[in-house]
Amino acid sequence: MVQTPFAHLRVLELASVLAGPQVGQFFAELGAEVLKIESPAGDVTRTWKTSAETSGAQATHDASVSAYFAASNWGKQSLVLDLTTAAGQAELLQLAAKADIVLASYKPGDAEKLRADYATLSAENPRLIYGHLTGYGPENARAGYDAVLQAEAGFMYLNAAGPGQPPQKMPVALIDLLAAHQLKEGLLTALFQRERTGRGALVQVSLLDSALASLANQAATYLVTGHDPQPLGSGHPSIVPYGTVYRAANGRQLVLAVGSDGQFRHLCAALGRPDWAIDARFQTNAARVAHRTELEALLTARIAEVNGDELLAKLEHRAVPAGAVRTVGEALAQHSAQVMLLPGASGVRAGLRTVAFRSPQWPAKAELSAPPPLNSGPHSPQKTLG
């Protein structure tokens, strides 16, 4: 049987909330043994429950496992350690001596106080790779919170419905997720280096750097032109039509992602308006950007006259990028989404994978253990890891 890529990897997760635990589940899905170290109070996301989770039949199987916690903690064991005590610190040191990777999300200076820092743990294990997430970098003790970073890095401003409209944050902790991806990349690079040198490394990732790196074309627009990009709702600053939501005659809401002049010609044909494609205002993407308001008004009126599902079928046939606006439940119910769902154990609903890439040469784990309850009972570090 072909083994999963990280079948012999041991990961200690000292991180909490979302970014670090997402990385922990990533390694678990690819076969690593992941031990989540929690304080006696547990990961704070265990308490972050929606009202639906605490009502009747929707209540979770275990009071210590919220939906938020379950988003990032499949496939792990949990161990409660009080790292403010000498006994807890000693046990952590024993565990780190056998680990390959440590994930941490302490504010700068806090790990040292708990003797959970890279210098202390790697002194016993030179091969240890230590991934440290901070809000603003290793020299800034300010705590990092996703919503604040969305505001400070420009995302909320750009996500407003339009100029002068209130800024809005994304509906998921986007900066945490971007930082998680940066940390994965850093840790995989460190693993590659360790194969060559035999030595571990400290990998540092901040939420701020991760957010700024992800501004991509919006940042480039400012750096190239000196002008601040303005919010356009779901529209695109340099492609039209792209991202705007339209409502069809049957109530179907849909978006277009027309990235080329050829695609625009096919869109016009599907809408029965081929003359738009030869209109000088709309012939090229540059012209369409310059005449955004006129084109959006025409598209809004025309799409409101047609059946949205029939239009989407026509556009798919013509290879014009377009899609229906779906709820989360509708998105997860699609046949193509099933590969991303983890089968739930008895009494546990299905979970969501964090690993979205595939290879025929090696598998991800087909099943993972459910997110662990908070267990403050006695543990043996020798038996828990390795």
Side-chain angles (χ1 to χ4, degrees), residues 15 72 121 125 139 141 160 166 170 179 187 238 242 262 296 307-308 310 328 330 353 362:
S72 305
L121 301 183
N125 180 2
E139 306 304 322
M170 306 291 181
L187 294 173
S238 53
Y242 194 106
E296 293 287 21
N307 181 290
E310 293 176 1
V328 173
E330 289 170 342
R353 293 186 182 276
W362 41 258

Side-chain angles (χ1 to χ4, degrees), residues 2 10 220 297:
V2 179
R10 296 168 175 173

Side-chain angles (χ1 to χ4, degrees), residues 345-366:
S346 177
V348 182
R349 286 198 170 199
L352 186 65
R353 293 186 182 276
T354 67
V355 176
F357 57 82
R358 305 283 183 269
S359 171
Q361 274 67 49
W362 41 258
K365 292 189 73 171

Side-chain angles (χ1 to χ4, degrees), residues 98-184:
K98 297 183 176 182
D100 294 286
I101 294 173
V102 167
L103 306 173
S105 57
Y106 297 112
K107 288 189 299 181
D110 285 0
E112 287 78 6
K113 295 174 185 176
L114 301 173
R115 295 187 56 76
D117 57 296
Y118 172 67
T120 299
L121 301 183
S122 65
E124 298 295 321
N125 180 2
R127 288 176 54 82
L128 185 68
I129 296 170
Y130 189 105
H132 191 191
L133 286 156
T134 61
Y136 299 88
E139 306 304 322
N140 191 330
R142 185 182 176 197
Y145 292 89
D146 183 90
V148 177
L149 268 299
Q150 286 195 36
E152 293 182 334
F155 284 85
M156 285 182 65
Y157 175 80
L158 290 171
N159 198 38
Q165 297 299 306
Q168 297 187 91
K169 75 175 186 67
M170 306 291 181
V172 295
L174 178 67
I175 309 305
D176 277 3
L177 295 172
L178 293 171
H181 285 299
Q182 291 284 350
L183 184 56
K184 291 173 197 173

